[in-house]
Amino acid sequence: MRKPQVVPDEDHEVVYERVAAVDVAKASGVVCLRAPDPARPGRFVNRIWDNVPAMRAQIAELGGELLRCRVQMVTLESTSDYWRIWYYVLESIGLAVQLVSASQAKNLKGRPKTDKLDAMWLARLTQWGMLRPSFVPPAAIRRVRDFTRARQDLVAERTRCLQRVEKLLEDAMIKVTSVAKDGMKAKSVVAMVAALAAGERDPRALGDLAKGPLRARRDQLAQALDGMFDSHHGMIARSLLDQVAFLDRQITLMEDQAIAALAGVPESWGVDADGQTGPQAGTSPDSPVLAAAHRLAEIPGISLWLAIVIIAEIGLNMTCFPTPAHLVSWMGLCRSAASSGTRHGKGKPKKGNSYARAAAGQAAIGAARTATFLGERYSRIARRRGKAIAQAAVARSIMIIAWHLLNDPQARYRDLGPDFYASRINRDKKIRNHIRGLQALGLTIAITGDEQAA
């Protein structure tokens, strides 16, 4: 008989003696404090606070009471964004707080469901250590995240405004976006629309505003700009272009604020060649320790801004993710495990962190265009399994690299080169495979020179 595999059991006995749990709602929360019962040694008693207002002063007062009761862990159920005030206030006064998904804290079927019973059940699961906490970055990283996410929302709004301009041009029978490859993203097209809004109607004069490669297509632009653009179209276009200009300024502002917020986090600093550290240290290639964002920016496909976005989503402390696989799973870049006996299913896709996943996907697309190990990896997978799977695979590789770079500040990215796979091919094995293939076709093979056939 084969020896059994030894797997350490998870500790689902009493992990914490004194815990608290909050069943969160929009305007209030039900709080359960579970602590040893002084009258019955080895047993526990629950104390319930009903409908604690979700206001800073009341939550701080409750937190003071939990501190006096020596609570070791407070658990919050992730309910929309209503958990934030509870988490931030209780964390700020020194309590250990964990956020758990509703799927982790779901009550048993058939049990009565009330807010009080939910809070008691959450406290019991906390005490037994049966909950898997969600990742919530520290306050300094949350500030960076607020700016990066605000910028992303502004970029999306800017795109919507440009799409409205394009629809307006179609209504006015202006087909300039059919000629310009980049559509409304091209600065020349925006300048033409601005001139139309200002009253210019001569197609030739409008076509002469083209810059760069678009100038070679001025004749086509003149035909496309010959439409029925009226004064009311001009008013709407002017309003939309003003919104785009305003959003451009706000996007730049959010970028500057995010960069400044990350510079205020000491863990992100590097070390210069002279041993000095600080917000601007570690930005040159010869620095012994690169700043965190510059470390990630060495990975193909990751720009400095994209590195800041990734740090804002996953933080700088990789102990929150015990292995790179934990990080990849948390981001939703892999499927859930689904195996039973000898059958291994694909598993369900995970939702994960959509912001971090989008940044990794964008980096993968950028890396695919480079003559690097990651670019070659993308090409090899895309040929066999398609571009979508190749993008996900390269995104996983990028985040695994990012985990190692953030886990060890001394580490630097070293590209394996586009010929990494080709150099690992076993030449003799490949020769033998070709010989067997030719022999299967009835051919007699004679090896000449220094090569020996096995």
Side-chain angles (χ1 to χ4, degrees), residues 273-297:
D274 57 0
Q276 297 295 319
T277 186
Q280 304 301 323
T283 57
S284 61
D286 60 342
S287 300
V289 178
L290 282 180
H294 287 75
R295 219 177 304 146
L296 295 188

Side-chain angles (χ1 to χ4, degrees), residues 337-341 343-345:
S339 62
S340 178
R343 185 183 66 83
H344 298 278

